[in-house]
Amino acid sequence: MPSELRFAAMPPLALYIHLPWCVRKCPYCDFNSHLAPESNLREVGIPIHAGMQRAAGEQGFAESVPIDLQRRYLNALVADLDQQLPKIWGRKLYSIFIGGGTPSLFAPELIDELLGAVRARLGMPQSGEITMEANPGTFEQARFEGFRKAGVNRLSIGVQSFSDSHLQALGRVHNSGQAVAAVRSAVALFDEVNIDLMYALPHQNVEQALADVAQAVALNSTHLSLYQLTMEPNTLFAAKPPPLPDDDTLIDIEEAVHRAAKAAGFEQYEISAFAKPGHRCQHNLNYWGFGDYLGIGAGAHAKISYPNRIEREIRHRNPMAYMEEMEGAAQPLEVRTLAVKELPFEFMLNALRLTDGVPESWFVERCGRPLSDLQKALKLALNKSLIETQPGMFKPTALGFRFLNDLQEIFLAG
Ligand code: SF4
């Protein structure tokens, strides 16, 4: 049977690596993160004292994942990667993202080995973006220097707030002073530094949210990710929600923080992403542009195109089950081929998040399907003034951006 997909070339290829452990589980977090085996903070959901510091002689956060376990996990990652290679022979990597969990709990030597193993197997341009997530609670100058030497060239720091009382309400393990010190050090060492900030925090008002953005701007990061705190299912906050700002205050806060970031020279290029000119995150742009990505590590997702199909993969979420799997047959837990009728929604779910939109030709290039697959849905979106009629581009209108879920859902029907 002839293939229903036709690719002129394979989409750009990125690599996501998941390092799953954290010092403690934050009460709002629904990521695949697991308590570090030797964490000295086993309680979940109990506010941490904002001035919490390591007592003399007490185990540090950075030692929370025993080195033997780090090595075992690294071996599993390499086995996982080896198993992927036949699927992407001849293709070069575009970017690497080491996320978590708290990847900065891993020793710099192990990150160096990990990136060495990737480079030995896959080509990547010298200038390719290699991002690593880090938490201020695990900050030590020497570790950041070690990550830089290992080849990481972009650091993404999970600050969330510079207010001690909000950090405490979010159950974070760091305080404001540690956040400032971590960002200062990152900015001195890395050309590309992202700060994650959350807004609409418990009892937060507009002035407090603006103070967080002002502090981030003053620290000279190149990128800001501004997320609204939401109550995700299966989190401690979903079961016991904290007192959040009301809807009017939430809108005021969101508009104010977006305005402040833009006034400071950051361009909004995605719902939550703001960058100084020339500093957009290449790895995330590849996701939003419906590029391919390998995903290795516990719970990692992958999307890989073949000449006749596009597949999504998911791995075991539990780190122990993942390592056992990789020490044996090394297979993803689940592999699913996307149906042709799913592709319009799959593509638009990502592409419409971008404020500049994406070229129409990307649908043809990255889904292997003709533009006629989108005609019915596009007409409906145009009639509702949710999408612009810019020639050669798919771009949400201001209304479409505001009601993005409604716009994306139009493409569910094909
Ligand atoms: S540090 Fe990040 S990944 Fe870990 S529990 Fe907190 S929010 Fe989740």
Side-chain angles (χ1 to χ4, degrees):
M1 199 175 81
S3 165
E4 292 180 277
L5 306 189
R6 209 168 292 278
F7 293 101
M10 289 293 109
L13 176 71
L15 170 65
Y16 175 76
I17 304 173
H18 193 77
L19 305 186
W21 288 288
C22 288
V23 171
R24 66 174 280 146
K25 184 80 181 174
C26 301
Y28 57 86
C29 176
D30 71 337
F31 298 148
N32 185 34
S33 59
H34 299 259
L35 200 64
E38 294 191 6
S39 172
N40 49 8
L41 294 168
R42 294 196 172 273
E43 328 87 291
V44 173
I46 300 166
I48 289 185
H49 189 269
M52 187 178 60
Q53 298 281 354
R54 197 188 314 170
E58 190 184 356
Q59 176 197 18
F61 296 153
E63 292 82 47
S64 295
V65 184
I67 197 76
D68 290 353
L69 183 62
Q70 293 186 34
R71 180 157 295 287
R72 185 178 165 203
Y73 192 80
L74 183 137
N75 290 341
L77 289 172
V78 175
D80 194 354
L81 183 60
D82 278 337
Q83 195 247 345
Q84 308 304 312
L85 295 180
K87 302 173 183 174
I88 43 113
W89 277 132
R91 295 175 67 181
K92 277 199 164 37
L93 277 185
Y94 167 87
S95 60
I96 300 174
F97 195 104
I98 308 174
T102 304
S104 47
L105 286 175
F106 272 63
E109 311 82 77
L110 273 282
I111 298 295
D112 187 38
E113 258 187 64
L114 174 62
L115 291 175
V118 173
R119 280 192 212 97
R121 288 161 175 79
L122 283 164
M124 181 168 166
Q126 196 65 36
S127 58
E129 181 187 276
I130 304 180
T131 302
M132 182 170 149
E133 291 182 332
N135 272 342
T138 61
F139 164 67
E140 285 165 30
Q141 174 84 16
R143 292 176 81 78
F144 277 19
E145 283 169 8
F147 298 139
R148 180 80 191 89
K149 279 200 197 111
V152 173
N153 53 27
R154 183 175 185 273
L155 212 64
S156 177
I157 305 183
V159 169
Q160 315 313 350
S161 173
F162 288 101
S163 143
D164 280 337
S165 62
H166 284 132
L167 288 169
Q168 203 167 346
L170 291 173
R172 300 290 294 180
V173 299
H174 64 270
N175 61 29
S176 162
Q178 289 165 323
V180 169
V183 177
R184 281 210 177 109
S185 175
V187 168
L189 285 165
F190 296 84
D191 293 337
E192 306 289 339
V193 176
N194 170 59
I195 297 178
D196 279 347
L197 283 182
M198 286 173 123
Y199 60 85
L201 306 179
H203 296 297
Q204 192 181 43
N205 59 33
V206 173
E207 288 67 36
Q208 290 167 330
L210 283 175
D212 277 347
V213 176
Q215 177 66 86
V217 167
L219 289 168
N220 276 326
S221 71
T222 54
H223 195 285
L224 295 177
S225 298
L226 304 175
Y227 301 105
Q228 181 194 337
L229 172 63
T230 51
M231 302 297 104
E232 302 300 329
N234 304 318
T235 61
L236 194 85
F237 271 3
K240 244 176 112 183
L244 297 177
D246 60 38
D247 285 352
D248 288 343
T249 311
L250 163 63
I251 291 169
D252 289 348
I253 290 176
E254 183 167 275
E255 288 178 356
V257 296
H258 284 193
R259 257 198 318 272
K262 288 175 193 170
F266 290 84
E267 300 164 337
Q268 182 178 17
Y269 66 102
E270 189 263 350
I271 298 171
S272 311
F274 295 73
K276 291 270 177 71
H279 294 279
R280 297 180 180 196
C281 175
Q282 298 305 308
H283 187 85
N284 286 341
L285 281 170
N286 188 51
Y287 285 139
W288 298 321
F290 208 53
D292 279 359
Y293 50 94
L294 295 171
I296 59 172
H301 290 228
K303 178 227 160 203
I304 306 171
S305 302
Y306 299 85
N308 61 350
R309 67 194 190 282
I310 299 173
E311 282 183 352
R312 287 203 182 278
E313 296 179 354
I314 305 178
R315 278 148 180 75
H316 275 285
R317 282 175 67 83
N318 180 288
M320 294 303 168
Y322 168 77
M323 285 188 289
E324 278 162 23
E325 185 70 32
M326 292 304 142
E327 285 156 3
Q331 292 294 328
L333 181 66
E334 189 186 310
V335 181
R336 192 171 77 82
T337 301
L338 297 181
V340 168
K341 65 175 181 344
E342 291 179 277
L343 292 175
F345 178 69
E346 286 270 340
F347 180 83
M348 290 298 185
L349 186 66
N350 297 285
L352 293 174
R353 297 173 64 94
L354 293 165
T355 52
D356 297 342
V358 295
E360 279 180 1
S361 58
W362 285 16
F363 180 76
V364 180
E365 290 166 18
R366 297 177 183 190
C367 295
R369 293 292 303 167
L371 282 175
S372 55
D373 283 10
L374 297 172
Q375 282 321 312
K376 211 168 115 200
L378 276 177
K379 205 168 155 202
L380 194 59
L382 278 168
N383 285 343
K384 293 188 171 191
S385 304
L386 296 173
I387 205 156
E388 285 189 11
T389 50
Q390 236 182 64
M393 293 291 290
F394 298 127
K395 185 179 172 193
T397 57
L399 187 70
F401 209 56
R402 185 151 167 231
F403 296 102
L404 193 56
N405 287 347
D406 296 343
L407 173 56
Q408 288 161 333
E409 273 172 22
I410 290 176
F411 293 89
L412 260 179

